[in-house]
C-alpha cells in the first residue's frame, strides 16, 4: 500500500479514515481518524525542504522545551522513527489538536488572542538556545536576498511576465528602503528561537481562542520581529492573502492594535530588548513587503514555490500584499 493510507499503516493506523486538509501551501496534509485517536499526517515537500533531519530535530526541540499545548505533539511511526520513507515520499505525523481549527471570524478578540499566543510562544522559547537549532532554509527571512532574487527573475523574465507586472515592480522598488530598515533591526535585535511562519493560518483556535501554533517546519535561529510581522500581515486585515481586488485589502486598525497589544501583554516585561520593542512598529510592514517580493518573484519564475489554483494567482497575491503594505503602519509612511 502506498500514499497516505500506506503511511498511516506504518504509524500504526491501518484502515484509518483519511481526508485531505485544505489550506497548507507547502506540504500535503491529511486528517487521520483511527480508533487510536485523531492525527495529522503530512507528506513533506522535498522540493522546498532538503534538510528533513534538521527540520525534524528543530520541531522536537521546541516540543520538548514547551510540552504539548502551545505547539502540537509530534507522533513517531510504529518503528520509533519520526520520518517514514516510502519511495521518494517522506511522511510524519502529529496528534491532532483536539476541537481546534483555523480562525473562522477574525475580530479584535481573535486577533488579540492570536497575538497573545505568539507572545506566549516567544516567552516560552526565550530560553531555548537558538544555536542548538538547524537552519533548514538558510536566509529564509532576509529582505536583501529576496529582493536580489526578484531582480534575477526580472532580468531572466523566462515567462515574459515582467511587462504585465510593471506596476507591481515599480511599487516594490519604491518601497525598497524597507530593506535597510529590516537589515538595521536585524543587526540590533538578538538571534532567537523563531517560528518564522507565524501567519494566522498556522494558529489554531478553539471556541474563538487561539490555542496552538502549528507548522514548525521553519523554526530556526533568527529575529522575532518576522513572527510578529507575519501575524500582523495576516491577522490585521480581514482580506484574503490572495484577494483578487486589491481595493479590498486594507489594514483594520482595530485588528492591528489587538494583535500588537495581545502580543505585548503576553511577553513578560524584560524579555524583549529595547531594539525588539522598536521592531514591533516596523514588523508588519517589513514582513508584508517581503511576502510581496516573494509572490512577485514566484510569478516571474513561473509559479514554482507557492501552490497556485488559478492563472495569475501569484501576481494577485503580490498585488494584495502591496495594497496592504500601503495602509499598514510603516517606518516609510511616517511624516
Ligand atoms: N496538529 C494539528 N492539529 C490540527 N490541525 C493541524 C495540525 N497540524 C496542522 N493542522 C492543519 O493543517 C494545516 C496545514 O498544516 P501545516 O503544518 O501548516 O502545513 P503547511 O506547511 O503545508 O502549511 C494547518 O494550517 C492546520 O489547519
Ligand atoms: Mg501552514
Amino acid at each position: 500500500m502506498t500514499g497516505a493510507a500506506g503511511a498511516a499503516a506504518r504509524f500504526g493506523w491501518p484502515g484509518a479514515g483519511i481526508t485531505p486538509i485544505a489550506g497548507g501551501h507547502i506540504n500535503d496534509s491529511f486528517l487521520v481518524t483511527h480508533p487510536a485517536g485523531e492525527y495529522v499526517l503530512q507528506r513533506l515537500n522535498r522540493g522546498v525542504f532538503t534538510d528533513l533531519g534538521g527540520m525534524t530535530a528543530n520541531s522536537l526541540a521546541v516540543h520538548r522545551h514547551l510540552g504539548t499545548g502551545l505547539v502540537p505533539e509530534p507522533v513517531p511511526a510504529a518503528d520509533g522513527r519520526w520520518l517514514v520513507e516510502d519511495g521518494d515520499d517522506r511522511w510524519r505525523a502529529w496528534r491532532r489538536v483536539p476541537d481546534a481549527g483555523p480562525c473562522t471570524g477574525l475580530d479584535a478578540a481573535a486577533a488579540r488572542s492570536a497575538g497573545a499566543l505568539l507572545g506566549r510562544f516567544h516567552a516560552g522559547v526565550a530560553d531555548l538556545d537558538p544555536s542548538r537549532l538547524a537552519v533548514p532554509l538558510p536566509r529564509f527571512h532576509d529582505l536583501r536576498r529576496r529582493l536580489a532574487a526578484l531582480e534575477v527573475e526580472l532580468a531572466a523574465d523566462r515567462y515574459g511576465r515582467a511587462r504585465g507586472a510593471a506596476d507591481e515592480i515599480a511599487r516594490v522598488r519604491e518601497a525598497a528602503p524597507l530593506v535597510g530598515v529590516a537589515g538595521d533591526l536585524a543587526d540590533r535585535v538578538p538571534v532567537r528561537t523563531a517560528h518564522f511562519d507565524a501567519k494566522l493560518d498556522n494558529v489554531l483556535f478553539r471556541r474563538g481562542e487561539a490555542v496552538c501554533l502549528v507548522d514548525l517546519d521553519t523554526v530556526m535561529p533568527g529575529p522575532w520581529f518576522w513572527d510578529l510581522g507575519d501575524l500582523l500581515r495576516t491577522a490585521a486585515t480581514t482580506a484574503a492573502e490572495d484577494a483578487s481586488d486589491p481595493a479590498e485589502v486594507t489594514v483594520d486598525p482595530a485588528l492591528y492594535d489587538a494583535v500588537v497589544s495581545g502580543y505585548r501583554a503576553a511577553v513578560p516585561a524584560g524579555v524583549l530588548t529595547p531594539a525588539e520593542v522598536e521592531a514591533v512598529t516596523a514588523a508588519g510592514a517589513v514582513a508584508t513587503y517581503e511576502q510581496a517580493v516573494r509572490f512577485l518573484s514566484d510569478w516571474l519564475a513561473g509559479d514554482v514555490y507557492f501552490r497556485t489554483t488559478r492563472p495569475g494567482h501569484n501576481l494577485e497575491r503580490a498585488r494584495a500584499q502591496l495594497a496592504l503594505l500601503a495602509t499598514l503602519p510603516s517606518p516609510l509612511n511616517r511624516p
Side-chain angles (χ1 to χ4, degrees):
M1 215 188 311
T2 55
R10 293 183 49 191
F11 278 89
W13 314 312
I18 294 176
T19 34
I21 299 176
H25 281 346
I26 303 296
N27 302 308
D28 296 318
S29 301
F30 301 87
L31 176 62
V32 172
T33 311
H34 185 266
E38 287 188 318
Y39 303 89
V40 171
L41 181 65
Q42 295 180 312
R43 178 175 26 222
L44 301 172
N45 185 327
R46 301 190 71 193
V48 171
F49 299 113
T50 49
D51 180 13
L52 297 184
M55 189 171 106
T56 304
N58 285 355
S59 303
L60 293 173
V62 168
H63 179 263
R64 206 176 301 122
H65 194 77
L66 296 178
T68 302
L70 283 179
V71 294
E73 179 186 344
V75 176
D79 65 3
R81 293 179 205 226
W82 298 103
L83 292 174
V84 158
E85 300 187 9
D86 180 17
D88 286 342
D89 291 342
R90 298 290 178 275
W91 295 85
R92 59 108 193 270
W94 309 91
R95 195 172 292 281
R96 184 193 190 186
V97 181
D99 304 318
C103 185
T104 54
L106 176 61
D107 57 12
R112 184 180 312 276
S113 182
L117 182 80
L118 180 63
R120 293 204 302 281
F121 175 83
H122 281 174
V125 295
D127 60 348
L128 174 56
D129 180 2
S131 69
R132 291 177 37 202
L133 300 175
V135 181
L137 300 170
R139 299 181 66 195
F140 183 65
H141 280 301
D142 180 335
L143 262 178
R144 197 168 300 284
R145 171 174 91 92
R146 297 292 185 184
L147 203 60
L150 174 64
E151 293 294 344
V152 168
E153 290 304 339
L154 203 50
D157 194 18
R158 280 175 286 166
Y159 295 86
R161 291 177 170 181
R163 224 161 59 99
D167 183 44
E168 289 71 27
I169 292 161
R171 290 166 68 194
V172 160
R173 287 184 170 152
E174 210 172 290
L178 285 172
V179 177
V181 170
D184 168 60
L185 286 171
D187 286 344
R188 292 188 292 121
V189 298
V191 173
R192 302 285 204 170
T193 293
H195 182 283
F196 266 20
D197 195 12
K199 57 187 181 183
L200 188 62
D201 274 351
N202 287 331
V203 175
L204 297 186
F205 286 74
R206 182 184 301 127
R207 290 182 290 281
E209 193 192 341
V211 291
C212 188
L213 186 56
V214 301
D215 202 346
L216 304 179
D217 292 338
T218 49
V219 163
M220 67 184 99
W224 274 343
F225 66 79
W226 291 109
D227 289 352
L228 180 62
D230 264 330
L231 190 60
L232 285 168
R233 179 176 78 71
T234 49
T237 176
T238 49
E241 189 174 73
D242 59 355
S244 305
D245 179 5
E248 280 173 19
V249 190
T250 55
V251 68
D252 177 333
L255 294 179
Y256 182 95
D257 290 346
V259 171
V260 171
S261 67
Y263 176 75
R264 291 297 307 275
V267 184
V271 171
L272 297 183
T273 66
E276 284 177 321
V277 172
E278 187 189 327
V280 166
T281 323
V286 296
T288 303
Y289 181 62
E290 186 188 64
Q291 201 59 43
V293 171
R294 292 182 63 198
F295 284 143
L296 193 54
S297 288
D298 204 37
W299 167 246
L300 297 172
D303 308 314
V304 290
Y305 186 89
F306 296 105
R307 196 173 290 153
T308 57
T309 55
R310 55 179 190 252
H313 205 166
N314 274 317
L315 181 60
E316 287 184 357
R317 285 171 170 150
R319 259 184 213 141
Q321 295 297 302
L322 288 167
L324 180 63
L325 177 63
T327 64
L328 272 171
S330 158
L332 305 186
N333 295 345
R334 294 229 183 86

